[in-house]
Amino acid sequence: MLTVDFSRFPLAPGDRVLDLGCGAGRHAFECYRRGAQVVALDRNAEEIREVAKWFAAMKEAGEAPEGATATAMEGDALALPFPDESFDVVIISEVMEHIPDDKGVLAEMVRVLKPGGRIAVTVPRYGPEKVCWTLSDAYHEVEGGHIRIYKADELLEKIREAGLEPYGTHHAHALHSPYWWLKCAFGVDNDKALPVRAYHKLLVWDIMKKPLATRVAEQALNPLIGKSFVAYATKPHLPRLSGTGADAQ
């Protein structure tokens, strides 16, 4: 289940991609399949080990084209172990709402992104997330949980302040909002409640089968109750300095 829409976020074979806070690796795997040179980074050592296993399995199964590479590594989003301008693409999906210093994370992403490079940021959308917080304190008052809810214009302003130029936004995963509302209503850790179990089966069926009916329904509902807000931006090229290079001739 991808949150980033690669039809709006073009990826070329050979692009060097950082999936920051990769979690289970869903976006990193898709980038690898598209021929990118992928680095999946997360602070969770257990998840990184699993991502590395899946990268190896994908290579063995021939799922990645020739020239694609994939590395899984532990790391700190506030102190990325890469030189300046190392990546063509940076993805950070459902991560920034967990980190107190979100401006620091944005600054690090901008530092390692090449001029002209592209960045995708996804966070829980304000409305559906607010419902979850209202229904359940346990949903967000946990170690490593969500510490803020972004409004779209607030996130876009932070992206601009970091030196990036937003070029597109959308919402995703409308069918998942009711599931989380049910989870919060019946207890975040209560997976035995009948409505929760029934809706979970629906989501699994939808993810596995991708039926036209649910695809059309989600597309129609995304603007209203999409669970995630997705923003795309580019890092501008530095302006040519007067008196240097071609201008000096």
Side-chain angles (χ1 to χ4, degrees):
M1 185 187 72
L2 299 174
T3 308
V4 172
D5 181 351
F6 286 94
S7 69
R8 311 186 196 207
F9 189 65
L11 191 68
D15 275 352
R16 186 161 167 78
V17 177
L18 173 62
D19 185 3
L20 180 55
C22 65
R26 57 201 173 103
H27 289 106
F29 300 149
E30 180 64 20
C31 293
Y32 190 31
R33 290 188 187 98
R34 290 172 177 261
Q37 298 176 7
V38 183
V39 176
L41 183 144
D42 201 283
R43 65 185 299 178
N44 187 313
E46 183 177 346
E47 286 196 309
I48 285 297
R49 284 193 292 271
E50 286 300 310
V51 170
K53 290 178 183 177
W54 278 105
F55 278 150
M58 290 173 67
K59 182 178 181 179
E60 184 176 348
E63 290 189 36
E66 186 176 351
T69 62
T71 303
M73 61 184 295
E74 289 183 64
D76 183 352
L78 290 165
L80 295 175
F82 310 112
D84 296 354
E85 302 179 6
S86 298
F87 295 93
D88 302 290
V89 172
V90 177
I91 296 171
I92 184 166
S93 183
E94 311 299 304
V95 173
M96 287 181 56
E97 67 276 9
H98 296 273
I99 301 176
D101 186 8
D102 57 348
K103 290 185 178 180
V105 173
L106 278 168
E108 271 294 87
M109 289 190 289
V110 172
R111 180 184 68 78
V112 302
L113 186 64
K114 296 177 181 178
R118 303 172 303 286
I119 186 169
V121 180
T122 92
V123 297
R125 184 184 186 176
Y126 183 85
E129 184 77 347
K130 190 70 174 179
V131 173
C132 289
W133 283 46
T134 301
L135 290 172
S136 171
D137 290 336
Y139 171 79
H140 62 96
E141 290 182 357
V142 295
E143 184 178 354
H146 299 184
I147 62 171
R148 70 174 66 82
I149 309 176
Y150 288 101
K151 292 184 176 179
D153 54 358
E154 174 194 359
L155 179 62
L156 291 172
E157 183 58 30
K158 288 188 176 185
I159 289 172
R160 292 187 185 97
E161 288 175 354
L164 297 166
E165 296 179 351
Y167 70 82
T169 65
H170 64 89
H171 301 101
H173 309 318
L175 296 181
H176 287 251
S177 290
Y179 172 72
W180 282 102
W181 297 339
L182 288 170
K183 288 271 287 181
C184 290
F186 286 93
V188 174
D189 297 321
N190 180 12
D191 293 326
K192 295 183 179 180
L194 179 59
V196 175
R197 288 192 289 114
Y199 203 99
H200 183 263
K201 287 183 179 180
L202 170 66
L203 291 180
V204 171
W205 173 75
D206 174 59
I207 291 170
M208 298 300 294
K209 301 296 184 179
K210 297 181 174 63
L212 178 61
T214 55
R215 296 301 88 215
V216 171
E218 184 157 78
Q219 186 174 4
L221 290 170
N222 274 337
L224 301 173
I225 60 169
K227 184 72 169 67
S228 295
F229 173 71
V230 188
Y232 306 110
T234 59
K235 179 178 178 178
H237 290 275
L238 294 175
R240 186 185 296 275
L241 297 177
S242 178
T244 61
D247 290 340
Q249 298 177 7

